[in-house]
Amino acid sequence: MSCLFLGVIRRQGGVGASVGVRSLTSIPSLPPAVADFVKGAVDECKPAKVHVVTGTPEETANILAGLERDGMVKRLPKYENCWLARTDPKDVARVESKTVIVTKNQRDTIPIPAGGVKSQLGSWMSESDWQKARQDRFPGCMTGRTMYVIPFSMGPVGSTLSKYGVQVTDSPYVVASMGIMTRMGTPVLQKLSEGAEFVRCQHSLGRPFPLKAPLVNSWPCNPEKVLISHLPDTRQILSFGSGYGGNSLLGKKCFALRIASRIAKDEGWLAEHMLILGITSPQGVKRYVAAAFPSACGKTNLAMMKPAIPGWKVECVGDDIAWMKFDSQGKLRAINPENGFFGVAPGTSDKTNPYAMATISKNTVFTNVGETSDGGVWWEGLDPPAAGVTLTDWHGKTWKPGSSTLCAHPNSRFCAPAAQCPIIDPQWESEEGVPIDAIIFGGRRPEGVPLVYESFNWQHGVFVGAAMRSEATAAAEHKGKVIMHDPFAMRPFFGYNFGDYLAHWLSMQSRKAPTKLPKIFHVNWFRKDPASGAFLWPGFGENARVLEWIFKRCGREREDEAAKKSYIGWLPEAGAIDTKGLGSKVDMGALFDVPKPFWQQETKELRAYFTQQVGADLPAQVEAELKALEDRVHS
């Protein structure tokens, strides 16, 4: 530690705490553990000044004004308090290839794959390689910039299911976004001053002053040196070189999934890549459901669904992440640890998701979408703008419909407060969480996988989650339409060895305390007609018909109620899915066809995947489920 310490200078007007770097003074306003963390970061990164974020509206307005002044965002006059950011085209998505977990032993992070095969279940970095990488990046990386200190809570402040973090960053865009995505500022500092534990998050754009090269789009980043690193043993995250959401808003995937999944394993709960919704029947009975889908499989659309069947109501608790813990009665209870929605914009419209459109009408930061000449936003999937209104694409260039390029980047985003959602669930900030009756897995499967089926039991359901596959998406840097294994929709987010993760899920059925396990289902909205290539199911609000069946199965009195047994699980019996009022002719036979040759090939691919990727770390119960499925599809 050098002799450069921090002194607090309170600004007039109470707009946050601006902190100058001085010698041999301390930080009276920060709890000792936080002060130590910040001092270490200052010593390493050498910022010009430090600002402790309080989260007040005045402070947020100042941050946004500064971003506007620097050309990083522009105001969108068509809406109330909405902003547009355009990034460097090299900084547009999560970078899985540069995202690592650092542990002493490789096997703590990933199963050791079969000879010569690259692990798809995470990237491990040794402690010595990581120290070198850190030395090569962080020293002096904030020279000339302000370091912002963000105390934040994942989950409602004070909930027993919540966890705290402190992020230091040199990106004011991150401060503005974290203010939407987390509970941030003084109330959290209060909890930390009471001695609450916190995850240490250090982030830098990696562009100290003076700049060695001009910025692209006024967006500081260092694409050649991006590294997003997680140290689960010490609950630390260090992210360098990217200003994009998933890489820089460290409360999101880095903390709420990668680090939290490891904390959850240690403490006996679950941190999952799942939406949470409440569904109420016409009779007024309400159930809560958690659902895991890979990116771009309609997670936000399902979480904010407008049911197409009369009398049913869906309310949204969260659209991306669920933290779930058993209560003293043995009921699995879930919170959404986030405070906002960080959703993919293209494809979101009044037709696909009217409630999302209402949510993002004010107080929203848009990134890499198109811009209209009347001060609004546009992206693929929206109706063409009104006559006389012209478009600018995400690069800032004039764009016309029919152009060979896209107006909005496929992974362009909106970042909006969850409380603005018109159907936000009344219990969304409940400190004890909402009771989960069903867990749904799903993915984009153009062929072979039925619209919905239920697992035979918890162990079989864990296998169904482990066997998830889906077409790849734009949220990561993968290209093209390739069917990828994405177990539990967590493939990019596991914080520890996937074999141990499966064992942790399986252990829920042998808890000593009382346990009421949710039922487990698998859905597929994306099956296609092999002849025409058209989707067989209309999706969106019509998905309520599938939720209705799931709802009824959760309250069933006998195992085969409204269901028939197939070799992959329980399928709805004929007529069990309400098709009354389905606008177009839907071929239910084709949607529920379970072709043996397809499933014989599927089991072959699953066996190869488990053998190569999980190997000796695959729990015996999952191996037994695969063997049983193989026997059933070959009988």
Side-chain angles (χ1 to χ4, degrees):
M1 187 80 64
S2 80
C3 65
L4 278 181
F5 286 84
L6 300 166
V8 175
I9 310 155
R10 291 275 177 205
R11 275 195 184 160
Q12 298 306 303
V15 183
S18 175
V19 183
V21 177
R22 299 195 195 151
S23 61
L24 299 178
T25 55
S26 64
I27 311 181
S29 71
L30 290 180
V34 179
D36 284 350
F37 167 55
V38 173
K39 285 173 189 170
V42 165
D43 195 35
E44 180 173 34
C45 303
K46 303 281 190 286
K49 59 180 190 231
V50 176
H51 178 95
V52 180
V53 173
T54 60
T56 63
E58 300 92 332
E59 179 187 64
T60 304
N62 276 2
I63 294 277
L64 286 162
L67 282 165
E68 190 173 28
R69 214 169 34 245
D70 293 344
M72 279 183 77
V73 302
K74 65 189 291 190
R75 189 183 290 275
L76 293 162
K78 190 171 178 179
Y79 320 112
E80 181 191 335
N81 191 34
C82 286
W83 305 82
L84 172 64
R86 292 193 184 104
T87 73
D88 183 318
K90 290 182 176 169
D91 190 23
V92 293
R94 282 185 293 104
V95 190
E96 284 176 25
S97 55
K98 308 285 178 64
T99 302
V100 301
I101 302 214
V102 182
T103 49
K104 202 178 211 60
N105 302 310
Q106 183 174 356
R107 203 166 172 181
D108 291 340
T109 293
I110 47 172
I112 308 304
V117 177
K118 185 183 179 326
S119 175
Q120 297 170 16
L121 292 163
S123 294
W124 175 75
M125 185 179 264
S126 71
E127 290 174 338
S128 57
D129 284 354
W130 179 75
Q131 285 294 356
K132 284 192 210 107
R134 179 178 187 166
Q135 270 305 112
D136 187 37
R137 288 166 173 79
F138 281 98
C141 64
M142 296 187 187
T143 302
R145 294 192 181 274
T146 297
M147 174 190 282
Y148 297 92
V149 179
I150 308 172
F152 65 96
S153 177
M154 301 309 293
V157 178
S159 164
T160 55
L161 283 89
S162 296
K163 298 284 178 190
Y164 303 109
V166 176
Q167 176 166 347
V168 296
T169 179
D170 52 5
S171 166
Y173 168 89
V174 165
V175 181
S177 302
M178 285 287 281
I180 295 170
M181 293 306 300
T182 71
R183 286 94 175 160
M184 172 183 93
T186 307
V188 181
L189 266 188
Q190 182 54 44
K191 284 286 168 197
L192 297 174
S193 68
E194 293 164 16
E197 291 179 4
F198 64 96
V199 173
R200 289 155 173 77
C201 307
Q202 183 171 313
H203 168 252
S204 176
L205 299 164
R207 294 300 298 270
F209 288 116
L211 293 173
K212 291 189 174 142
L215 299 178
V216 178
N217 278 344
S218 308
W219 182 265
C221 61
N222 191 339
E224 283 69 41
K225 288 217 164 161
V226 167
L227 185 68
I228 300 99
S229 55
H230 307 73
L231 285 71
D233 293 331
T234 50
R235 316 298 199 227
Q236 284 176 279
I237 302 161
L238 287 94
S239 172
F240 186 91
S242 171
Y244 164 80
N247 305 325
S248 66
L249 311 182
L250 300 186
K252 197 163 177 55
K253 308 295 196 193
C254 297
F255 179 166
L257 288 177
R258 295 190 193 98
I259 294 293
S261 66
R262 169 62 192 279
I263 296 173
K265 173 182 171 276
D266 294 347
E267 297 181 357
W269 50 281
L270 298 166
E272 299 299 329
H273 187 206
M274 292 181 180
L275 66 91
I276 310 165
L277 62 83
I279 179 164
T280 306
S281 72
Q283 293 73 37
V285 179
K286 185 166 192 176
R287 297 187 185 281
Y288 287 95
V289 171
F293 299 91
S295 297
C297 286
K299 215 160 59 253
T300 304
N301 290 345
L302 182 61
M304 299 185 196
M305 182 209 288
K306 192 173 190 174
I309 45 177
W312 288 82
K313 182 164 78 169
V314 165
E315 290 166 298
C316 176
V317 177
D319 78 327
D320 195 36
I321 297 172
W323 287 0
M324 301 185 287
K325 195 180 276 188
F326 287 99
D327 66 15
S328 57
Q329 270 73 54
K331 191 74 186 173
L332 192 62
R333 289 190 167 267
I335 62 164
N336 166 16
E338 299 191 291
N339 195 44
F341 302 122
F342 185 67
V344 174
T348 306
S349 68
D350 284 324
K351 177 184 173 289
T352 62
N353 196 334
Y355 296 130
M357 294 301 288
T359 304
I360 62 179
S361 61
K362 61 182 180 184
N363 304 318
T364 297
V365 177
F366 296 93
T367 303
N368 289 339
V369 299
E371 182 186 6
T372 61
S373 56
D374 61 349
V377 291
W378 194 85
W379 50 76
E380 281 67 20
L382 291 178
D383 291 336
V389 174
T390 58
L391 289 166
T392 303
D393 72 8
W394 71 279
H395 293 284
K397 299 194 169 82
T398 304
W399 188 90
K400 288 188 170 59
S403 164
S404 61
T405 59
L406 293 170
C407 184
H409 187 274
N411 195 41
S412 55
R413 297 281 173 158
F414 54 78
C415 181
Q420 292 181 183
C421 177
I423 57 158
I424 198 75
D425 192 272
Q427 293 298 305
W428 86 280
E429 293 194 284
S430 156
E431 289 191 4
E432 60 272 11
V434 297
I436 299 297
D437 283 324
I439 290 170
I440 302 174
F441 296 119
R444 271 182 186 265
R445 298 305 303 269
E447 58 177 319
V449 180
L451 180 62
V452 60
Y453 65 98
E454 181 187 346
S455 71
F456 295 126
N457 51 46
W458 181 261
Q459 178 174 300
H460 178 235
V462 172
F463 167 74
V464 169
M468 276 173 65
R469 302 174 70 207
S470 188
E471 281 185 341
T473 75
E477 78 270 37
H478 300 289
K479 304 283 190 291
K481 297 288 185 191
V482 46
I483 303 273
M484 289 178 66
H485 290 271
D486 195 349
F488 289 77
M490 281 284 283
R491 184 193 53 74
F493 309 122
F494 292 117
Y496 61 100
N497 182 309
F498 173 53
D500 296 338
Y501 170 94
L502 289 174
H504 181 56
W505 266 77
L506 290 164
S507 75
M508 298 301 154
Q509 66 186 349
S510 51
R511 291 173 79 245
K512 293 198 172 41
T515 305
K516 296 171 192 151
L517 292 168
K519 309 259 187 297
I520 297 179
F521 298 83
H522 188 284
V523 300
N524 174 29
W525 320 130
F526 300 99
R527 195 164 181 176
K528 291 181 174 174
D529 178 334
S532 67
F535 288 119
L536 287 168
W537 180 249
F540 304 112
E542 304 296 355
N543 293 338
R545 299 170 188 276
V546 174
L547 289 186
E548 179 187 21
W549 182 75
I550 289 171
F551 184 100
K552 286 178 175 164
R553 289 290 290 168
C554 288
R556 66 173 184 253
E557 287 173 8
R558 50 171 222 281
E559 205 176 21
D560 62 351
E561 201 171 303
K564 59 179 187 202
K565 206 167 194 173
S566 78
Y567 49 79
I568 63 167
W570 290 98
L571 294 171
E573 67 184 6
I577 301 263
D578 178 5
T579 55
K580 209 166 44 253
L582 261 185
S584 51
K585 175 87 181 77
V586 174
D587 186 342
M588 299 302 279
L591 276 165
F592 285 103
D593 181 37
V594 185
K596 272 200 169 167
F598 172 88
W599 281 92
Q600 287 164 357
Q601 182 60 30
E602 186 80 356
T603 54
K604 208 163 141 188
E605 295 194 17
L606 282 171
R607 179 153 298 281
Y609 178 72
F610 287 153
T611 302
Q612 290 174 0
Q613 289 292 324
V614 198
D617 291 324
L618 188 73
Q621 300 99 308
V622 177
E623 159 66 34
E625 289 295 340
L626 175 57
K627 178 77 176 70
L629 178 60
E630 285 170 335
D631 291 347
R632 292 193 299 268
V633 299
H634 285 98
S635 63

